[in-house]
Amino acid sequence: LAARREILEAKERELARKEALLAAAEREINQKLKELTAVRDEIKTLMEKQNKETDERIGSLVKIYEGMKSKDAARIFNTLDLDVLVAVMARMSERKTAPILASMEPERARTITIMLAEQKKIPLLEDR
């Protein structure tokens, strides 16, 4: 009976030790989760700020190019980086875009037209 009690007490001590280790691991995981959530929220805030600033800059460029003569804007658009050009032209009014496209180099206008037609937004990550 004493040997059986000793075995049970040893098992109980081992179980208590494992429970303590498990509790410590759970606390550490919860702390890491809090840290990761804070980093995710900070990244989300920074991305929103950057997107807002980019939208403002593109909006400013749209106003500038919409105010230009179509031939002048086309001359610049023929040399502009495609990503910037698509972002600007996507926000311009069709009434302003049409004469600019007509004044651009045909191959460049074709490329831009295809890119505008295929333009897709990156889906926003959902909170999990």
Side-chain angles (χ1 to χ4, degrees):
L1 202 55
R4 179 88 172 131
R5 184 179 316 150
E6 196 173 305
I7 291 172
L8 287 175
E9 287 175 358
K11 285 184 178 182
E12 188 175 324
R13 284 190 303 273
E14 181 63 21
L15 183 60
R17 186 184 71 76
K18 287 182 179 181
E19 285 177 349
L21 287 173
L22 184 60
E26 186 177 10
R27 284 190 301 275
E28 187 175 338
I29 288 171
N30 286 336
Q31 178 61 33
K32 293 290 183 190
L33 181 61
K34 285 179 187 177
E35 290 172 10
L36 288 173
T37 301
V39 168
R40 183 197 64 196
D41 292 344
E42 183 179 352
I43 289 171
K44 185 177 176 182
T45 301
L46 290 172
M47 286 181 67
E48 288 170 355
K49 180 181 176 187
Q50 182 181 16
N51 287 342
K52 182 181 176 194
E53 290 172 356
T54 299
D55 284 347
E56 289 171 357
R57 285 193 304 269
I58 297 295
S60 176
L61 290 172
V62 167
K63 288 178 185 177
I64 290 168
Y65 287 116
E66 282 185 338
M68 285 184 173
K69 293 180 181 178
S70 59
K71 289 192 186 296
D72 294 335
R75 193 177 73 250
I76 296 169
F77 281 8
N78 282 327
T79 63
L80 203 57
D81 177 74
L82 286 175
D83 292 332
V84 174
L85 180 53
V86 170
V88 170
M89 289 191 85
R91 293 186 50 187
M92 290 178 72
S93 71
E94 292 173 6
R95 185 176 59 81
K96 297 287 187 173
T97 304
I100 294 172
L101 275 172
S103 299
M104 289 176 69
E105 295 171 2
E107 187 58 32
R108 182 78 167 183
R110 184 183 81 72
T111 301
I112 294 305
T113 301
I114 291 168
M115 290 178 77
L116 286 170
E118 293 176 349
Q119 186 180 35
K120 294 182 179 157
K121 293 202 177 244
I122 296 173
L124 295 176
L125 295 176
E126 295 180 17
D127 290 337
R128 296 174 195 236

